[in-house]
């Protein structure tokens, strides 16, 4: 069973599906990871190297996270998240736990690889699959952190969000990719179970699980996403003290 984001009811603009960014046979836009190197303090005070995480969190994404962390020879590079799309939230929780167990910091931003400047999107993604390190810059302006980003970010030992980021959380629903015709009653029971597991996870990560109560109320009422303003990030523990 898979807990995924329940897409907002508002119409979405039509876009061309992006090229895959994982190994052959992976689902479209599956999240990949690669090491990036930038100027001094590019990813925070004293930080010039990071692991870029970009794409959609799928059922097997955690394997690639473990693989790149294992290749760092003990270095604890921060993971900079740029997630998108209907994600597997159960896997996002697993990835957050992996970050916490490895003592890894997490943030949000777009990694701009210098070698991709004159390449097509497809060629750039093929390059990134090698894992780096790549010379890059970090663009953290006007980032959107949705539910999958939020859950993965929660696992960071130190968590940061750009001051102008938007944190937009929506309700969740249960899907089974192997048996999609799950009964409504069974689906409701599973939703309750996974919601409880998500709250337990947030509590263990030092985040107030009450934030999900607000999200659920807004979603049940009007299918309305919940915008979490910067003034509430420290209150709920989305970021660690002084991490903005």
């Amino acid at each position: 069973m898979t807990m995924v984001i329940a897409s907002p009811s508002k119409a979405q603009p039509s876009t061309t599906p992006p090229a895959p960014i994982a190994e052959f046979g992976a689902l479209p836009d599956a999240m990949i990871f690669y090491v990036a190197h930038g100027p001094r303090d590019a990813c925070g005070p004293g930080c010039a190297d990071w692991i870029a995480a970009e794409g959609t969190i799928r059922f097997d994404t955690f394997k690639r996270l473990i693989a790149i962390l294992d290749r760092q020879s003990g270095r604890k590079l921060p993971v900079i998240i740029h997630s998108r799309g209907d994600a597997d939230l159960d896997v996002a929780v697993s990835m957050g736990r992996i970050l916490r167990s490895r003592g890894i910091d997490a943030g949000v931003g777009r990694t701009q690889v210098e070698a991709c400047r004159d390449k097509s999107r497809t060629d750039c993604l093929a390059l990134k699959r090698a894992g780096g390190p790549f010379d890059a810059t970090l663009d953290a302006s006007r980032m959107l952190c949705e539910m999958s980003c939020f859950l993965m970010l929660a696992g960071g030992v130190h968590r940061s969000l750009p001051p102008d980021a938007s944190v937009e959380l929506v309700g969740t629903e249960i899907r089974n990719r192997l048996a999609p015709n799950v009964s409504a009653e069974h689906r409701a029971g599973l939703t309750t179970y996974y919601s409880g597991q998500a709250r337990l996870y947030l509590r263990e990560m030092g985040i107030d699980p009450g934030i999900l109560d607000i999200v659920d109320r807004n979603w049940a009422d009007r299918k309305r996403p919940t915008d979490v303003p910067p003034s509430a990030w420290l209150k709920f523990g989305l970021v660690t003290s002084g991490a903005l």
Side-chain angles (χ1 to χ4, degrees):
M1 289 293 177
T2 298
M3 181 171 67
V4 300
I5 297 171
S7 300
S9 58
K10 61 185 179 183
Q12 298 295 322
S14 175
T15 58
T16 302
I21 57 173
E23 64 272 10
F24 177 78
L27 293 170
D29 205 31
M31 179 173 278
I32 60 168
F33 303 87
Y34 56 90
V35 176
H37 173 77
R40 182 178 179 181
D41 301 332
C43 45
C47 176
D49 298 276
W50 67 94
I51 294 172
E54 64 179 49
T56 302
I57 297 174
R58 303 294 192 180
F59 69 93
D60 60 347
T61 303
F62 71 96
K63 297 177 183 179
R64 288 185 288 278
L65 175 60
I66 292 172
I68 197 163
L69 292 178
D70 285 347
R71 291 200 297 268
Q72 301 314 308
S73 302
R75 289 196 305 167
K76 295 185 178 182
L77 302 181
V79 172
I80 305 299
I81 304 164
H82 184 197
S83 65
R84 52 185 176 266
D86 285 354
D88 187 319
L89 301 188
D90 197 32
V91 175
V93 168
S94 297
M95 291 166 67
R97 290 191 182 280
I98 291 168
L99 295 181
R100 182 60 61 91
S101 69
R102 300 289 188 102
I104 303 296
D105 295 343
V108 176
R110 303 177 195 85
T111 299
Q112 309 285 355
V113 175
E114 295 294 334
C116 285
R117 286 183 177 272
D118 58 351
K119 287 182 170 57
S120 68
R121 176 180 172 81
T122 299
D123 289 344
C124 177
L125 297 179
L127 174 71
K128 291 175 180 177
R129 291 190 189 103
F134 303 112
D135 289 336
T137 57
L138 193 57
D139 177 10
S141 62
R142 301 179 64 82
M143 289 297 303
L144 174 62
C145 187
E146 298 179 307
M147 186 66 81
S148 59
C149 164
F150 163 64
L151 291 174
M152 185 176 172
L153 178 71
V157 175
H158 298 97
R159 303 178 292 277
S160 61
L161 283 165
D164 64 346
S166 296
V167 178
E168 186 176 279
L169 307 181
V170 300
T172 59
E173 63 181 17
I174 297 298
R175 296 179 190 164
N176 185 337
R177 62 187 178 88
L178 301 179
N181 298 321
V182 179
S183 70
E185 182 179 3
H186 192 195
R187 193 184 302 274
L190 288 169
T191 299
T192 299
Y193 169 78
Y194 280 112
S195 294
Q197 291 299 301
R199 284 168 171 75
L200 176 62
Y201 163 71
L202 292 181
R203 186 176 293 110
E204 292 175 353
M205 297 301 109
I207 295 177
D208 184 349
I211 191 172
L212 293 186
D213 295 329
I214 299 172
V215 171
D216 287 346
R217 284 197 300 270
N218 287 341
W219 193 252
D221 182 24
R222 300 178 183 176
K223 293 293 185 287
R224 184 181 65 193
T226 300
D227 292 317
V228 185
S231 60
W233 293 350
L234 276 174
K235 173 185 175 183
F236 286 105
L238 274 66
V239 297
T240 51
S241 179
L244 291 179

